[in-house]
Short mmCIF file of all heavy atoms in Angstrom, two decimals:
data_model
loop_
_atom_site.label_atom_id
_atom_site.label_comp_id
_atom_site.label_asym_id
_atom_site.label_seq_id
_atom_site.Cartn_x
_atom_site.Cartn_y
_atom_site.Cartn_z
N LEU A 1029 32.33 152.70 88.36
CA LEU A 1029 33.49 153.49 87.98
C LEU A 1029 34.31 152.89 86.86
O LEU A 1029 35.36 153.40 86.50
CB LEU A 1029 34.43 153.67 89.21
CG LEU A 1029 33.77 154.34 90.42
CD1 LEU A 1029 34.76 154.45 91.57
CD2 LEU A 1029 33.28 155.74 90.05
N GLY A 1030 33.81 151.81 86.27
CA GLY A 1030 34.57 151.19 85.17
C GLY A 1030 33.80 150.00 84.59
O GLY A 1030 32.73 149.62 85.10
N ASN A 1031 34.37 149.45 83.56
CA ASN A 1031 33.78 148.27 82.94
C ASN A 1031 33.79 147.12 83.92
O ASN A 1031 34.84 146.71 84.38
CB ASN A 1031 34.62 147.93 81.69
CG ASN A 1031 33.98 146.82 80.88
OD1 ASN A 1031 33.26 145.98 81.37
ND2 ASN A 1031 34.24 146.84 79.58
N PRO A 1032 32.63 146.57 84.26
CA PRO A 1032 32.59 145.47 85.26
C PRO A 1032 33.44 144.28 84.88
O PRO A 1032 34.03 143.63 85.75
CB PRO A 1032 31.10 145.09 85.30
CG PRO A 1032 30.38 146.34 84.88
CD PRO A 1032 31.27 146.99 83.87
N GLU A 1033 33.54 143.99 83.58
CA GLU A 1033 34.39 142.85 83.15
C GLU A 1033 35.85 143.15 83.45
O GLU A 1033 36.59 142.25 83.87
CB GLU A 1033 34.19 142.58 81.67
CG GLU A 1033 32.82 142.05 81.34
CD GLU A 1033 32.66 141.72 79.87
OE1 GLU A 1033 33.68 141.92 79.11
OE2 GLU A 1033 31.58 141.31 79.45
N LEU A 1034 36.28 144.41 83.24
CA LEU A 1034 37.64 144.76 83.54
C LEU A 1034 37.92 144.72 85.03
O LEU A 1034 38.96 144.25 85.47
CB LEU A 1034 37.98 146.16 82.98
CG LEU A 1034 39.37 146.70 83.25
CD1 LEU A 1034 40.43 145.78 82.68
CD2 LEU A 1034 39.51 148.11 82.68
N LEU A 1035 36.95 145.20 85.81
CA LEU A 1035 37.10 145.16 87.28
C LEU A 1035 37.19 143.71 87.78
O LEU A 1035 37.97 143.41 88.69
CB LEU A 1035 35.92 145.87 87.95
CG LEU A 1035 35.81 147.39 87.67
CD1 LEU A 1035 34.51 147.92 88.25
CD2 LEU A 1035 36.99 148.11 88.27
N GLU A 1036 36.42 142.83 87.19
CA GLU A 1036 36.46 141.43 87.58
C GLU A 1036 37.82 140.85 87.24
O GLU A 1036 38.39 140.06 88.04
CB GLU A 1036 35.36 140.65 86.87
CG GLU A 1036 35.32 139.17 87.25
CD GLU A 1036 34.18 138.43 86.56
OE1 GLU A 1036 33.53 139.01 85.70
OE2 GLU A 1036 33.97 137.25 86.91
N ARG A 1037 38.37 141.18 86.09
CA ARG A 1037 39.69 140.68 85.73
C ARG A 1037 40.76 141.19 86.67
O ARG A 1037 41.71 140.48 87.00
CB ARG A 1037 40.02 141.08 84.29
CG ARG A 1037 39.33 140.18 83.25
CD ARG A 1037 39.51 140.72 81.86
NE ARG A 1037 40.89 141.01 81.56
CZ ARG A 1037 41.29 141.99 80.72
NH1 ARG A 1037 40.38 142.73 80.13
NH2 ARG A 1037 42.57 142.18 80.46
N MET A 1038 40.65 142.49 87.09
CA MET A 1038 41.65 143.02 88.04
C MET A 1038 41.55 142.30 89.38
O MET A 1038 42.57 142.08 90.03
CB MET A 1038 41.42 144.53 88.19
CG MET A 1038 41.72 145.34 86.95
SD MET A 1038 43.41 145.10 86.30
CE MET A 1038 43.12 143.88 85.01
N SER A 1039 40.33 141.91 89.77
CA SER A 1039 40.19 141.15 91.02
C SER A 1039 40.86 139.79 90.86
O SER A 1039 41.54 139.31 91.78
CB SER A 1039 38.72 140.97 91.36
OG SER A 1039 38.11 142.22 91.64
N THR A 1040 40.63 139.16 89.69
CA THR A 1040 41.29 137.86 89.45
C THR A 1040 42.80 138.04 89.41
O THR A 1040 43.55 137.16 89.89
CB THR A 1040 40.79 137.31 88.11
OG1 THR A 1040 39.38 137.21 88.15
CG2 THR A 1040 41.41 135.95 87.81
N MET A 1041 43.28 139.14 88.88
CA MET A 1041 44.72 139.38 88.82
C MET A 1041 45.34 139.40 90.21
O MET A 1041 46.40 138.81 90.44
CB MET A 1041 45.00 140.71 88.12
CG MET A 1041 46.49 141.04 87.90
SD MET A 1041 46.81 142.79 87.75
CE MET A 1041 46.55 143.33 89.45
#
Side-chain angles (χ1 to χ4, degrees):
L1029 302 179
N1031 188 330
E1033 292 183 1
L1034 178 58
L1035 295 173
E1036 182 179 6
R1037 282 172 49 211
M1038 293 303 97
S1039 296
T1040 303
M1041 184 204 73

